[in-house]
Amino acid sequence: MSLEAVRDAIDTCPESETAAFARRTRNALANAILASALAREAPEPPAHGAPVAELRRCVGDELGELLAEIYEGGEDWTSRAIDALPPLHALARP
């Protein structure tokens, strides 16, 4: 499922440098949004929770919370994912 790649990218937060994390997560989100448009199934719930504290430390409180919400999935995760793309893109630039 498309959201799994996003979750995998978010799970790398604790050991990643901010720009690399932002780039990886931005790219995974963009691909997941496109894949979601073709999917007919809702994403499975995550096996564990997002690394919220590490996300906040790496990308700030607001974006960290947004990424944690996306990680959980839910009915409207793609709208939140679209909102996360611009700030991730800004962080991904050197």
Side-chain angles (χ1 to χ4, degrees):
M1 182 47 101
S2 60
L3 195 52
E4 286 306 310
V6 174
R7 290 176 178 151
D8 290 344
I10 289 173
D11 284 338
T12 69
C13 180
E15 65 269 355
S16 296
E17 183 267 327
T18 299
F21 169 76
R23 199 170 21 261
R24 182 180 308 112
T25 304
R26 177 201 60 199
N27 294 345
L29 279 173
N31 287 327
I33 291 165
L34 293 174
S36 157
L38 303 172
R40 303 227 188 274
E41 304 169 3
E44 295 289 323
H48 54 83
V52 179
E54 290 86 354
L55 287 169
R56 286 180 174 166
R57 177 192 49 76
C58 185
V59 297
D61 291 339
E62 189 174 326
L63 183 55
E65 286 296 323
L66 180 58
L67 292 174
E69 290 173 13
I70 294 165
Y71 192 98
E72 293 301 318
E75 202 169 296
D76 195 31
W77 73 267
T78 54
S79 293
R80 292 188 305 277
I82 290 168
D83 292 341
L85 291 174
L88 284 169
H89 181 67
L91 289 171
R93 305 183 95 193

